[in-house]
Amino acid sequence: MFSKVLIANRGEIALRVLRACKELGIQTVAVHSTADANAMHVRLADESVCIGPPASRDSYLNIHQIVAACEITGAEAVHPGYGFLSENAKFAEILEAHDIVFIGPTSDHIKIMGDKITAKSTAEELGIPVVPGSAGEVKTEADAKKIANDIGYPVIIKATAGGGGRGMKVANDDSELSIALSTARTEAGAAFGNEAVYIEKYLAKPRHIEIQVLGDGKGGAIHLGERDCSLQRRHQKVWEEANSPALNVEQRMKIGETCAEAMRKLNYRGAGTIEFLYENGEFYFIEMNTRLQVEHPITEAITGIDLVNEQIRIASGAPISVKQEDISFTGHAIECRINAEDSKTFVPSPGTITHYHPPGGLGVRVDSGVYQGYKIPPYYDSLIGKLIVHGRTRNECMMRLRRAIDEFVVDGVNTTIPLFSKLLENQDIVNGDYDIHWLEKFLAKDE
Ligand code: ADP
């Protein structure tokens, strides 16, 4: 096992990783920008290194400063958290070249899954179900029409270099296709500097369901069930559940085993998430995230497995601590993302937290780096905490979530807490009856 790990991140996830390290008896090194000198992860770490000014590109994305921080402190491994450098293949390579362990997959696997077309063709080769569509880039309008007619309308045109849900256009028939094709190309060129696009069948009312996997990098892999992250605003997840209200045990085990088997074939190392759109009983691969996800705690709640602990153990060469047959999915968990944003306009609300009282009690977990008097800096994303609630049934979980949301006090800045109070009163939410467009429609009505 490592004796010292550097955490190349900030906020709640830096604290989350720090906690796992402490429980493994590992010394921790925090890195921080000048704006985060008073952050909780810095206060709680054994050592800390300031790596630059507030802007992320000069600090949390500054590979040279982070490698230097490892060398100064003697850290043997780096946990990248999520976001920032967590899916940067070059970062993983540079660490390897310096004999520092990257707590994550190999740089080759990061690269494969970082390119949308390679990721999709790799998934297909590994036996993962994908959305029907073109095999790679579509170059001419004639080709596009042929593919669209083969798979059937509606279709969606997507940028191969896409990200964040940008550069996508839907076409319902041949006449809409040529316009959709040219606008998607122009937008892709402007947004990503690459006009290449591909075509997929458009799914009208899918859910977003993702499978958590763990691989040992030696041909062993398991799955830890699914998370339903259909409630999204602008492709950002807002509320996540495990298990999905839409799946039964057979469906869960079938798609889970398909993903675990794919990871065995790939020799995948570490934690990963395979994301699907799910419609009419079928799964369609959209992407794989080769890192820890924001919403990992709901999987921890229903399985009792510490995913960060597993990531660190695997990176140190140890086997995964559990076998597939030992994993059971107990009860139901929901995560609400608490952002420092206006709950109606979603305008960010940095500033000082004047009062802070997180909820507690059985089945309630709050992962957050904030405290009373903490000043939320304006330079980073607006996630200030995650409320994760676990109950024996979905109903118990919802009742517990209502009372936890009622208890939660964050004064001095606007937060998204009031949005969750409203969602918890909604009958569709109570029934678990929603797709990926549900939240946007609800918010439009609420204006
Ligand atoms: P990005 O990398 O830009 O986030 P994704 O391929 O992950 O792109 O897709 C982002 C979102 O776009 C999905 O979560 C879904 O809402 C929508 N989407 C993507 N592909 C399809 C499709 N074939 N049918 C319907 N919606 C889609």
Side-chain angles (χ1 to χ4, degrees):
M1 186 46 70
F2 308 116
S3 52
K4 197 185 270 188
V5 166
L6 181 140
I7 304 160
N9 216 302
R10 65 179 300 281
E12 68 87 17
I13 197 61
L15 206 52
R16 167 71 190 90
V17 174
L18 186 144
R19 287 173 174 151
C21 289
K22 291 215 166 176
E23 290 179 19
L24 282 161
I26 298 170
Q27 296 278 305
T28 52
V29 180
V31 292
H32 65 92
S33 69
T34 50
D36 278 339
N38 293 321
M40 209 58 175
H41 73 279
V42 178
R43 295 183 177 198
L44 290 181
D46 297 299
E47 290 167 76
S48 65
V49 181
C50 180
I51 51 166
S56 302
R57 66 174 178 280
D58 300 323
S59 50
Y60 298 104
L61 291 172
N62 187 331
I63 295 178
H64 296 296
Q65 288 287 7
I66 292 170
V67 173
C70 289
E71 287 183 339
I72 294 165
T73 57
E76 305 150 70
V78 172
H79 194 302
Y82 52 68
F84 294 128
L85 296 168
S86 61
E87 289 177 295
N88 185 314
K90 197 172 129 213
F91 180 54
E93 262 165 33
I94 291 174
L95 289 180
E96 267 167 45
H98 284 79
D99 276 331
I100 301 163
V101 176
F102 176 74
I103 302 178
T106 62
S107 54
D108 283 346
H109 286 162
I110 300 176
K111 267 186 227 153
I112 290 172
M113 295 305 169
D115 176 86
K116 292 176 90 72
I117 288 184
T118 320
K120 194 174 170 185
S121 61
T122 306
E124 199 168 10
E125 280 162 28
L126 293 169
I128 294 174
V130 300
V131 193
S134 57
E137 186 188 345
V138 175
K139 296 215 166 86
T140 67
E141 197 177 318
D143 284 351
K145 280 200 174 138
K146 184 171 180 320
I147 293 158
N149 282 287
D150 285 350
I151 58 180
Y153 284 102
V155 298
I156 183 166
I157 313 203
K158 299 167 72 169
T160 62
R166 286 180 303 164
M168 297 188 194
K169 286 280 166 283
V170 178
N172 290 296
D173 53 40
D174 276 357
S175 67
E176 287 181 17
L177 187 67
S178 47
I179 304 164
L181 199 61
S182 58
T183 37
R185 279 225 176 93
T186 316
E187 280 183 20
F192 313 111
N194 177 353
E195 289 206 345
V197 294
Y198 63 108
I199 295 191
E200 276 181 358
K201 182 159 188 60
Y202 178 70
L203 304 162
K205 291 180 170 177
R207 297 181 81 110
H208 172 115
I209 297 183
E210 57 186 34
I211 306 294
Q212 176 71 54
V213 291
L214 281 177
D216 62 9
K218 300 165 190 156
I222 58 169
H223 75 87
L224 291 103
E226 84 281 11
R227 294 182 287 260
D228 193 319
C229 315
S230 303
L231 289 176
Q232 302 185 4
R233 178 181 170 272
R234 299 203 174 153
H235 301 296
Q236 299 293 315
K237 296 163 188 167
V238 170
W239 155 306
E240 302 101 345
E241 315 196 25
N243 301 314
S244 167
L247 294 194
N248 61 34
V249 179
E250 288 75 44
Q251 288 171 306
R252 169 168 314 115
M253 296 317 276
K254 183 163 177 248
I255 189 67
E257 187 42 46
T258 300
C259 291
E261 180 56 24
M263 294 304 106
R264 285 176 210 127
K265 284 189 206 153
L266 192 64
N267 264 339
Y268 187 76
R269 183 183 73 203
T273 296
I274 305 174
E275 296 193 335
F276 295 94
L277 294 177
Y278 171 83
E279 192 171 75
N280 298 328
E282 302 289 335
F283 287 91
Y284 303 95
F285 171 85
I286 43 173
E287 65 177 350
M288 176 166 182
N289 293 319
T290 51
R291 55 166 168 84
L292 189 70
Q293 304 263 106
V294 177
E295 59 274 22
H296 75 278
I298 53 175
T299 299
E300 298 184 325
I302 64 164
T303 61
I305 293 165
D306 180 331
L307 285 167
V308 182
N309 175 300
E310 294 297 328
Q311 286 187 298
I312 298 170
R313 286 170 44 87
I314 292 166
S316 77
I320 301 170
S321 76
V322 278
K323 297 197 169 56
Q324 188 72 57
E325 58 268 28
D326 299 331
I327 296 169
S328 54
F329 304 99
T330 308
H332 195 89
I334 297 176
E335 174 180 278
C336 297
R337 295 196 192 189
I338 314 294
N339 290 344
E341 289 171 357
D342 183 280
S343 69
K344 283 198 158 179
T345 62
F346 299 96
V347 172
S349 178
T352 302
I353 297 179
T354 51
H355 288 283
Y356 182 67
H357 178 79
L362 180 65
V364 176
R365 165 176 172 181
V366 177
D367 275 20
S368 173
V370 310
Y371 50 87
Q372 193 151 312
Y374 175 74
K375 194 166 175 215
I376 302 165
Y379 313 105
Y380 312 106
D381 77 39
S382 55
L383 182 77
I384 53 165
K386 307 182 307 202
L387 169 61
I388 304 105
V389 169
H390 184 229
R392 287 173 300 178
T393 60
R394 187 168 187 273
N395 186 45
E396 187 177 89
C397 182
M398 295 281 283
M399 295 299 284
R400 188 162 283 160
L401 184 53
R402 278 189 195 96
R403 75 98 179 134
I405 283 285
D406 282 350
E407 276 177 42
F408 214 146
V409 178
V410 183
D411 284 347
V413 296
N414 293 324
T415 75
T416 47
I417 293 173
L419 169 65
F420 296 109
S421 304
K422 273 192 249 165
L423 289 176
L424 283 159
E425 283 168 17
N426 184 282
Q427 201 54 45
D428 289 343
I429 300 296
V430 171
N431 297 341
D433 184 13
Y434 51 78
D435 61 34
I436 60 167
H437 306 296
W438 190 95
L439 185 61
E440 297 269 7
K441 285 188 209 147
F442 173 82
L443 293 171
K445 265 187 275 168
D446 198 43
E447 268 168 11

